[in-house]
Amino acid sequence: MPHTIVLVDDDRNILASLSMTLEQEGFSVRTYTDGESALQGLLAKPADLAVLDIKMPRMDGMELLQRLRTRTAMPVIFLTSKDEEVDELMGLRLGADDYITKPFSQRLVLERIRALLRRNDTNRAEAAGQPAGGVITRGDLTLDETKHACLWKGKQIQLTVTEFLLVKALALRPGMVKNRDQLIDAAYGENIYVDDRTIDSHVKRVRKKFRDVDDDFQQIETLYGIGYRYKEA
């Protein structure tokens, strides 16, 4: 059975183009143009993953996510035209799994959907008693690849899929410098164009999330003009 993806956005052009791309990749797709109808549809007929716009009529994405989280742990990706950290943090606190800013590459959305579905399928397999995948440990850092879970000194760090892949790329080779192109490939995949400043913004947010639980976090170092590296404690 194909995975079912729900798209919720008041921009019908986005719904049409993204649903076509997903259907061509073998997904079953349902679309809604406002949060209220999406909530009714999802409660009546669950899906495997939802992609939600934040700014929508009748019920915005934040409220829709909040209501969904009382009923389901279904993976959710936010789409928004606002690149504001407050929106991202609020969304993650409510239970969003990833956050993509418009305009976006459809290939990027597709890869994020696949990554979250893999994580969700792995979690279900573990709950059924099947063996877990690999865990990466670097000093006080623990990364569970199968769950995209991150712990620092035993405390949970809420990372998006992109942020998790950046931390993983750095932590796999402590002390080795990764330039921005290498980090773009690790987080977004090859042949996807992302501005270098996007990586800098992600690293800034990752550091803030770690420092929210540990003021002394200094493990991700900047080498100006070169890139970043992970310093194992």
Side-chain angles (χ1 to χ4, degrees):
M1 290 289 292
H3 286 102
T4 298
I5 310 299
V6 163
L7 307 177
V8 190
D9 198 311
D10 58 347
D11 188 327
R12 295 179 184 273
N13 291 327
I14 288 178
L15 290 181
S17 60
L18 190 51
S19 60
M20 182 181 298
T21 297
L22 293 173
E23 286 169 350
Q24 288 173 346
E25 294 295 323
F27 293 102
S28 174
V29 181
R30 304 202 317 262
T31 63
Y32 301 92
T33 56
D34 66 84
E36 191 172 299
S37 61
L39 178 63
Q40 294 172 359
L42 281 164
L43 294 181
K45 191 175 181 182
D48 296 297
L49 182 145
V51 180
L52 313 179
D53 188 26
I54 287 184
K55 303 301 180 184
M56 294 186 296
R58 298 178 63 193
M59 181 186 297
D60 66 20
M62 293 289 189
E63 183 179 353
L64 174 57
L65 175 62
Q66 192 170 21
R67 295 197 183 192
L68 287 173
R69 278 293 172 258
T70 66
R71 305 284 190 94
T72 176
M74 170 189 64
V76 169
I77 298 173
F78 266 144
L79 295 179
T80 180
S81 56
K82 294 179 65 179
D83 187 17
E84 293 185 358
E85 187 173 2
V86 64
D87 279 350
E88 177 184 358
L89 293 176
M90 179 63 73
L92 293 174
R93 289 189 185 116
L94 290 174
D97 297 273
D98 208 350
Y99 186 97
I100 298 173
T101 304
K102 299 176 184 177
F104 54 83
S105 157
Q106 293 205 5
R107 184 183 299 175
L108 172 60
V109 177
L110 181 61
E111 289 306 312
R112 287 294 166 269
I113 287 173
R114 285 175 170 158
L116 286 170
L117 289 173
R118 283 195 299 269
R119 185 191 72 178
N120 211 42
D121 289 346
T122 300
N123 290 347
R124 290 175 180 173
E126 289 180 3
Q130 297 179 19
V135 174
I136 300 168
T137 301
R138 296 289 183 270
D140 292 319
L141 175 70
T142 301
L143 298 173
D144 187 329
E145 295 185 85
T146 60
K147 297 179 180 178
H148 278 264
C150 174
L151 295 176
W152 177 255
K153 295 184 177 179
K155 296 180 180 178
Q156 185 82 29
I157 308 293
Q158 283 275 20
L159 299 179
T160 67
V161 173
T162 303
E163 292 166 350
F164 182 92
L165 293 172
L166 284 173
V167 174
K168 174 187 169 185
L170 292 168
L172 278 174
R173 303 294 295 272
M176 177 173 286
V177 179
K178 293 278 188 178
N179 63 38
R180 288 170 178 80
D181 286 340
Q182 290 171 318
L183 292 175
I184 288 171
D185 288 346
Y188 290 93
E190 297 179 1
N191 303 318
I192 293 180
Y193 173 76
V194 178
D195 191 280
D196 287 354
R197 288 174 295 181
T198 301
I199 293 296
D200 296 336
S201 296
H202 281 308
V203 171
K204 179 181 177 181
R205 292 179 182 179
V206 166
R207 283 177 174 149
K208 183 180 185 305
K209 289 179 180 182
F210 276 88
R211 287 171 183 164
D212 283 344
V213 302
D214 181 4
D215 291 337
D216 297 325
F217 179 82
Q218 300 289 339
Q219 269 54 54
I220 298 178
E221 297 182 314
T222 301
L223 283 82
Y224 292 98
I226 304 175
Y228 299 93
R229 70 182 172 195
Y230 184 83
K231 179 182 69 175
E232 191 168 359

